[in-house]
Amino acid sequence: MKIRAVALLLILAVGTSIAADERDWFVPLGLPPKASPRRISAGEGVPPLPLPATPLRRTERKRQPSSATLFGKIMWGETASFTYADGGACSISDWNLCPADLQQLLQKANRNAGLAYKSEAIDLAGFHGDPAKTPVLFFSGTRTLKLSPRQADMLRAYVLSGGMIVFDSVAGSPYFYNSVKQMLASTFPDYALRTIPLDHPFYHMLYDVTKVKIPNHAPADDSPLDQVLSQDVPFMEGLYVGCRIAVLVSPCGMGCGWDDHAVPLIKQAVYYDVDSANQLGLNLAAYAVGYAEVGREESKPELFGVLDEGDPTDEFVFAQIKHDGAWNVHPGGPAALLQRLQHNTSLRVSLKRVPVLPGKDDLSSYTFLYLSGLDDFHLDPSAAAAIRSFLNGAGTLFINNGLGLKGFDRAVRRELKQILPEASLEPLPPSHPIYRGVFAVNQVRYTPAVVNKAGVFTEPVLEGITLNGDLRVIYSPYDMEAGWQGCDHPIIRGLEPESAMQLGINIAMYAMTH
Amino acid sequence: MKLTAALLFCWVSLLVLSVKAAPWHVPAADTRVRVALATNSPWPAQAGYVQVWPAALAGSNLGVTVVSEGGALVASSNLWRADGEPASLIFDTSSGASNYWIYGAESAASPAWQPAAGLILETRRRIKGPMDTWSQTRRLWEDSYPVLGHSPVPNINLGINPHGPSMDFIALFQGSLILVQGGAYQFATVSTDASFLLVDETLVSQWPGEHDAGPGRQGERQGTINLEPGRHSIQYYHVHGPENSMALAAWKPPGADRFSVIPPESFAPLARFHVTAADSAPSKKGVVYFEWETVAHTMINDLALVNMRFTAWSPDTRADFHWTFDDGTTATGRTVEHLFPRPGIRDVTLEVKENTGGSKPDNNAPRRSRQPVAVHPQWTQQDECPPALLKMYKAELAARDPNSMPMNDLIYLGRFALAIEDRPWATTLGAACLKRRKEWMPAHIEVLLNLGLNYQHPDVRDYGRAEAMFQAVLAFQPPVSAIQDKTKLRLAELWINLGRNPDQAASLLGKMDLHALTPDNQRLKKILEADTALLQGQADKAVLLYAALGNLAEQPLQTLKRRSGLESARQFLERNDVADAAELVERIEWENPAERMSAETSLIMIVIYQARREDQFALGRCLRLLNAPSLHDKDRAEVLFKLIEIYQTLGNTALAGEVHARLLSDYPYSEAAARSRDRFRK
């Protein structure tokens, strides 16, 4: 594009001081305005002939189907006017530098996947904060994002009640990206921003996006981000609430690609090419739709308890290990299992799960420990020792791979080596008594993502470590907890709810009776 | 006021006297009218045009004879005649006379005089066929049938068919241009779809094929022909499509700088005449001549309510005019308007009784004419359904007693009420239909089924009447199998929705011939069989039946679409857009009927039923869902909570309490139990 910015007149609503280099990123990123089309015809200048009237027909009233809202594009920052080299002018706003991004993306989502949605512009000052009405908030920008404490609090409440926020650093601007990270760190201090692994459902919702193109990307430095982007793999960061990505940050621009063009006017822009951006965008739309219910379900308040060590009971207690990774993967899942356990067995069950920190909390009162996660996690030596002691004292550890991701699988095997250096996970044969406890689980049903990749198979897959002749560690590489929770988790590698529940009950019963 | 009445009386009396004074020129004629040149008519002209009404004749058999005031025969021809319609005729006015007698009698013969004046439009119902060349379009014209009408028009500028529905017709304009200046004339056609313009039988401009009018509006589709001053024939053919379409002919005469629509004054003039008096033959003194015309209509989905005006011609202006219409209504007055609840050939009777004013004994027997009248929409009315007219006509017809109107009219109004979605009116009409079931005919049955469906609409919810209507349709003899099978489906569906009579529903579904149903109804039958099994508690059978209808192991894209539908439905419900939510969920359940066992989908449907106050349907759905296999505990708790809400709404507090106790006992820590506790605490 040869058009070059020659003038930028800021009409600042609020007086601010902006670094000169940041101001260079404040340019229009949509397609430049077109000159009015000139009518060319044989009869130019002659008024058209008047046409006769035609009937005004009424047929049976048919309602026009309306569209639900998927994205709310947040209005933030400042507005200015911009003049192109050819004299054309336009108004630009921080929040809307590429005005057609969402509109174009949603048209493609409708065309390619039958997802009929609309977007709307949202002023945070009047935002209702209800994810049921606006499932996704979308921030786009190039300059430093500034939010008031009240606005940040509102975003936190929105996310924790099931909403999703997406930040698109539309031209790959470090100013926008760094300010977003800073804002997230202060607004969500209890949630860490993590790299979304390539086997995460996000990258496979509609398209398998494991390779991308980032045009003209010249690494400016040796930052980890630059290194990743040089490998032509997608890079997204996310903040998990439960198992879902509640906040998604794309440091590499997507919006212009959705509008089917490159990022104009900014030489140092970092952005996905049109195809990559569209595939990622469509996956984003699909993910937002697919995980909306999960968001609502996992935002419901849950009953947690503490074990009264002064008054030990013979109840089955579900003690769940907290670790530095995403440990609480499917809030509500364990509670559902415990209720079913109470209904279907003669076990005395405490319906409140107990979160524990091995190495800090006393594990001697428990017979059952549960560990789950989504990606990498670490146990410090004291935690590993506490768990080792727990296992040697006839306790049972059940590990569930939330979403069935490889990163967590690697971490599990690594940490088990730390806990039990001499032992390793072995597949449990179909004849193992764990499959015969309460339910005879000869066959199970896996989620479509498993079946579509591995073909139809129905054998239950569990691995375990036996100590002194007793099975003490049970590991499910396929997610079982999502099934306990009982709502759709598209593209996860897991078990369908009924199979998950039956296996879960058998495992709990096995832990209590062995 | 009194002065006006007196003047009118004098004028009519004079006319009557002039009629009575004139000799009867055509002994075989039954009636005659006197016609005079209309004000503002083109004049002088070589030919005149007039409409005359058949008096006590069907219309297609009306033969006319035109004579001058002195009794000389005048050349004429029928432009158009049809049953129940006034006849249009053209006659020779080259004598310059401005008054004529037109005699009418029953005759199939039609004089074949060819006038060289005016511009006449003929339209025909269009058959399917190509229109990409002149020869194809000419063939299309020749093969198209029937002829819808002929009438004079001022110029070639047509967007509405004056002879019938304005869609799928083919038009031909024929006439003569009178040119005062010779030279190169450019002619252009502007049309949607094919049009061809011929001058002196030479193709001058054309625009074949299917297209919009826009690209020709500045005269782009043009041709040039050199013409001498004088008379030249012009023909213009145009094919009108299924949607709104239009055509016009424009020209640029020598010296003009732009195209304009060919003006009316460029065509050979055709004078317009109108009736000024009417009389019947001495042997037919009982016949009364009257005219009729369509005033306006309101039409939706090709269903029309038509308002007509009737005007009687009688020598006695003080007579009593009594009109009887075949829809069971009457009216009085020399001129009356009447709203017909159904178009078609309707029977109208006019009775005229002389009013002696009590000055002398009334010895004359009343004169009476019974006339078939074609009731059809006012084809040239641009707005086919003006809201004000719809409101007025509906109010007038709703005030008529549905128990006494002809059954065919009642059924037609039932269709109309359903088309405009006036549920209360359709409910009233349906009730009348139920009362008059002995008058039902096979052609009525489908409408009766639809009136039955109206009773179960969310805004009506009269399930008892719906069932009664369905049962009555099923009992109708002789059998109308196709409709009755549909009715069986609907009755079974009603029972299942209400959670009642599963065994009867199963039996009804079992009595149907699957192969006689449409593919959609075949699918509905299978869905209902699965629903019945679920309601009967046969979960395994239901699973198999649902599985046979849809893909239980969905592909990711299908899963996503389903999720999208459910999420959108939730959002629609949030903003109280119940109709859109229902449409989405119903589509999901139709495409994958196994969703009817899914807690998530069914719970949204239950909320929709509740929002539409269809609590009995919501109850039926809850009862079915509780029999679904693999119901998650939180969902089962939610269904129990819904049952509590529904029982309370239906006033059954005892059952609500029982379910509440069960919910607390079985799912004490569920969100549903917490909500139920709050509800009962209140």
Side-chain angles (χ1 to χ4, degrees), chain A residues 130-132 134-136 156-164 241 244 246 288 291-300:
Chain A
D130 185 355
T134 310
V136 186
R156 179 181 167 89
Y158 168 78
V159 163
L160 297 186
S161 57
M164 181 181 189
V241 173
R244 75 189 171 98
Y291 279 80
E293 191 208 5
V294 174
R296 277 193 306 276
E297 197 59 39
E298 294 183 349
S299 69
K300 287 178 180 169

Side-chain angles (χ1 to χ4, degrees), chain A residues 176-496:
Chain A
F176 181 78
Y177 174 55
N178 291 332
S179 64
V180 166
K181 286 213 295 189
Q182 205 173 343
M183 185 275 290
L184 291 176
S186 61
T187 309
F188 298 92
D190 43 348
Y191 294 86
L193 196 61
R194 300 167 186 282
T195 301
I196 308 297
L198 288 180
D199 61 340
H200 191 278
F202 176 83
Y203 290 117
H204 305 276
M205 291 298 296
L206 289 173
Y207 299 95
D208 292 319
V209 189
T210 51
K211 279 284 175 193
V212 291
K213 284 186 182 159
I214 299 170
N216 307 323
H217 176 236
D221 51 45
D222 282 340
S223 69
L225 175 59
D226 254 351
Q227 286 177 17
V228 172
L229 295 179
S230 302
Q231 295 164 15
D232 284 344
V233 293
F235 182 79
M236 296 275 171
E237 288 170 299
L239 190 148
Y240 292 113
V241 173
C243 73
R244 75 189 171 98
I245 305 171
V247 177
L248 183 79
V249 182
S250 178
C252 185
M254 295 189 287
C256 290
W258 299 343
D259 196 19
D260 295 325
H261 59 81
V263 172
L265 304 176
I266 302 174
K267 265 188 183 172
Q268 63 272 43
V270 182
Y271 55 94
Y272 295 107
D273 77 338
V274 169
D275 285 347
S276 306
N278 280 322
Q279 290 188 348
L280 285 167
L282 291 171
N283 276 4
L284 166 63
Y287 186 84
V289 170
Y291 279 80
E293 191 208 5
V294 174
R296 277 193 306 276
E297 197 59 39
E298 294 183 349
S299 69
K300 287 178 180 169
E302 197 188 355
L303 296 169
F304 285 101
V306 287
L307 193 67
D308 185 352
E309 288 165 17
D311 184 16
T313 79
D314 58 347
E315 286 180 336
F316 174 79
V317 177
F318 192 99
Q320 183 164 355
I321 294 173
K322 291 171 77 172
H323 54 72
D324 63 345
W327 65 274
N328 190 10
V329 177
H330 296 293
L337 174 74
L338 292 171
Q339 285 184 37
R340 186 65 81 86
L341 203 56
Q342 191 183 51
H343 267 275
N344 290 30
T345 70
S346 56
L347 272 185
R348 283 169 48 76
V349 176
S350 169
L351 292 172
K352 300 175 180 177
R353 68 171 162 156
V354 179
V356 293
L357 276 170
K360 289 188 180 154
D361 294 328
D362 178 12
L363 302 182
S364 62
S365 310
Y366 307 109
T367 54
F368 178 84
L369 278 182
Y370 177 69
L371 188 151
S372 186
L374 290 173
D375 54 6
D376 201 8
F377 70 99
H378 299 87
L379 297 172
D380 62 32
S382 68
I387 296 171
R388 188 183 311 118
S389 164
F390 167 80
L391 294 173
N392 287 327
T396 304
L397 170 65
F398 172 47
I399 306 170
N400 176 62
N401 187 339
L403 305 188
L405 300 176
K406 285 177 191 160
F408 182 74
D409 186 86
R410 280 193 297 272
V412 165
R413 293 175 199 281
R414 186 191 67 223
E415 294 304 320
L416 281 177
K417 275 288 171 202
Q418 188 193 178
I419 297 166
L420 301 168
E422 304 302 322
S424 60
L425 285 167
E426 299 292 341
L428 299 184
S431 58
H432 195 280
I434 203 164
Y435 298 124
R436 304 278 176 277
V438 179
F439 298 99
V441 186
N442 300 316
Q443 293 189 328
V444 290
R445 282 184 63 206
Y446 290 94
T447 56
V450 178
V451 175
N452 289 341
K453 194 143 194 175
V456 177
F457 72 102
T458 56
E459 298 83 18
V461 175
L462 290 176
E463 296 177 50
I465 295 175
T466 303
L467 299 177
N468 303 321
D470 281 335
L471 180 63
R472 289 286 159 237
V473 178
I474 305 158
Y475 170 54
S476 174
Y478 295 107
D479 190 0
M480 212 179 276
E481 196 181 339
W484 302 343
Q485 196 186 45
C487 54
D488 276 346
H489 290 69
I491 318 289
I492 65 161
R493 293 158 48 77
L495 287 149
E496 291 285 7

Side-chain angles (χ1 to χ4, degrees), chain B residues 3 122 149 186 218 226 245 256 349 499 511 520 529 579 598-599:
Chain B
L3 181 65
E122 177 180 342
Q186 284 178 282
Q218 286 176 314
N226 283 311
S245 85
T349 303
K511 286 177 190 162
D520 274 0
E529 283 167 347
S598 141

